[in-house]
Amino acid sequence: MNPPFLRRVASPTRLFCILVCLLPLGAWAQDGSARAADLAPATPEATETPANQPDADQVQTDASAPPRFGITVETDGKLKPFVLRHIDLQRFRTLGDLDSSELNRLLLAAPDNLRDLLGTQGYFSPTITVSRVAATAGGKTPAPPLGDVRIVIEPGPATRVATSNVYFSGDILSAEIAKPQRESIVRSSQKAVGTDFTQSRWDQVKSETLRQLTAERYPRGRIANSLSDIDATKSEAHWYVELDSGPAVQIGEVRVVGGERYDTLTAERLVRLAGLHPGADYSLSKLQDAQQKISDSGYYTSVFAYVDLDQDGTNKDSAAPVVVQVKEGLPQKVTLGVGGSTNNGARLSLEHTHLQLPLIGWRAHSKLQLETNDQLLSSDWNAPIQEDGWHWLASGKLARQIDDDTTTSGLRVSAGKSQERADLDRRYFLQYDRARTVNTESELASSDGYESALSLNYGWTWRRFDNVPFPDRGYGLGVTLGVGTTLGTERKPFFSTQARWLGYWPLGGVVREDLLAGLTRGEDRPADTRSRNGRLALRLQGGAVTAETSAEIPDTLLYLTGGDTTVRGYGLRDIGVEESDGTVSAGRYLAVASFEWQRPIWSDGIRTEWESVVFVDAGAVADDPADLQAKVGVGAGVRYNSPVGPLQLDLAYGLDPKKFRIHLNVGFSF
């Protein structure tokens, strides 16, 4: 069955509205069939300019010059600023040599210009009166020489979208595998039904249907025809879009351009791991995922991936190669950093990165970090990724933590394999820990000497956020399980469990139905899909080390909490097991909860990059679950959504110490 714009015969009134208010955007058929052009409300084509009347497209005005005439508009409140901003008369107000007769000729064309403008907002039956009135000087402002132009507009009924129809041609019409894609496109177009007609909404529907078509399997897709049929008598708009998918595109070989120093096999594997293996259907989201994976590998300073849809310019049915253009990073890099935090005060860091270690070809990142309370020396080594997405890793860390009178020195060495995906990370590793705790004021908070342990661990992290690093909706869950033994004079087995959860729930407003259909990376959403009331955020964290009471477990495997990212209102690692002499030591059980209301700040109806935050945090540490007693902090803050991630500044009050603390947190990670 042909789309309506191939077989409908419009009434004279309806045809007139379409011809006046719509511009052709589609292509005419070449087979002799009578096809209607893609039409949309816009300003009519330029007509011949009367003698001595300025051409609107060629007017040269001086914005600093005093206006030759004023403009007053009397109409519906929401239309008034729109009319004042876009009416053609505004372009002539500061024209220095504009005289009265030329202004009168401009006023003759003003009603047509206003009807075109109102048509873009869905008002096709307005009553318009344009007149000149003598201007009166107001205060210190002199009256305009040519008086005021008074515009009175009765907009009439607003046109609403009655139907929105999408028709298909090409491979997508009959391909069974494309059925979900067809249904998604149709469902998306139906969201406009019942809303007020505007030119921008009509353009958005067309661009969104085309985007959904070209995002999967059909990158050559196009809009063959489109029509916005305005029924002025009923104040209804009927929308029709015909999409021509063309042939489906399958992925071919992977070509890496610009790779000389590092093995391009890693980039090729990352493309295939993203789902773009030879013979697979084209997918824009998978292509973007592959580009991000290659960029995150650390070997390249810039990455651009695309599918060459017409590599030889002739054969459109052959598989399309994936082309990855890269700019390689230097083999070694040294970074000196100076900073600070509300947790640890001033910070000085020195980092060294080696992208290709001699003999083994692994990537190594080493770091020396000196802070007021913490000192750290670490090195992380990662092997090139394998065909299945896993890679070997090894790390070593020397650390010293100072908490008031307590100093904890520790060594940690681990080795294992890891697999990182957009929605799920998995890791298993063997870990050796050795630590000693010394408290200058209390023997109860000190260890008997160096305590060590060996453990085998498995962890996974699952993420389902709609938009990182600024999520409005979604959740993440991370779990790590370990089994090990102490290595002291008496070897005691132990079992460790760690879990963390982060969830976001929008409060009211419009939320896209497919927010969770994508993976972590997500897509940028238009502003009207985000809730004006913001979102609620819930963060939970728990941990347990189960062993005999006499087992000498290194303190670096036990728990302390408090600080910027855990329980605000308390200092870093202030919450632990309280000894009889008042000191605090690490414990075997941990429970932390945080509840936030994050609300965007609006200015003149526009959502800014700033948000207000109110929160309640609670945390507890103990050697026995029955002894867990929550330490609570409450407060408020502001958050700025910067290009590098959220920057949050909080003022928190700890109910237990009865003190205020300032906390600073940068970035989003889970």
Side-chain angles (χ1 to χ4, degrees), residues 26-28 35 167 169 210 213-214 218-225 241-246:
W28 291 97
R35 289 178 176 256
Y167 300 86
S169 61
L210 181 61
L213 173 67
T214 57
Y218 307 105
R220 297 190 184 99
R222 64 187 183 92
I223 296 179
N225 280 294
V241 178
E242 181 186 3
L243 298 176
D244 180 9
S245 69

Side-chain angles (χ1 to χ4, degrees), residues 499-511:
R500 55 197 177 100
W501 161 276
L502 179 61
Y504 291 92
W505 295 269
L507 294 175
V510 180
V511 180

Side-chain angles (χ1 to χ4, degrees), residues 219 249-252 276 282-283 287 305-310 319-323:
V249 172
Q250 278 74 44
I251 298 299
L276 297 178
Y282 168 88
S283 170
L287 184 66
Y306 65 95
V307 172
D308 189 353
L309 295 176
D310 194 12
V322 177
V323 181

Side-chain angles (χ1 to χ4, degrees), residues 274-311:
L276 297 178
H277 50 79
D281 287 331
Y282 168 88
S283 170
L284 177 60
S285 62
K286 292 179 180 179
L287 184 66
Q288 292 172 336
D289 187 27
Q291 178 175 290
Q292 187 63 49
K293 286 178 180 292
I294 298 171
S295 178
D296 292 342
S297 69
Y299 293 104
Y300 308 104
T301 58
S302 67
V303 180
F304 177 62
Y306 65 95
V307 172
D308 189 353
L309 295 176
D310 194 12
Q311 62 273 23

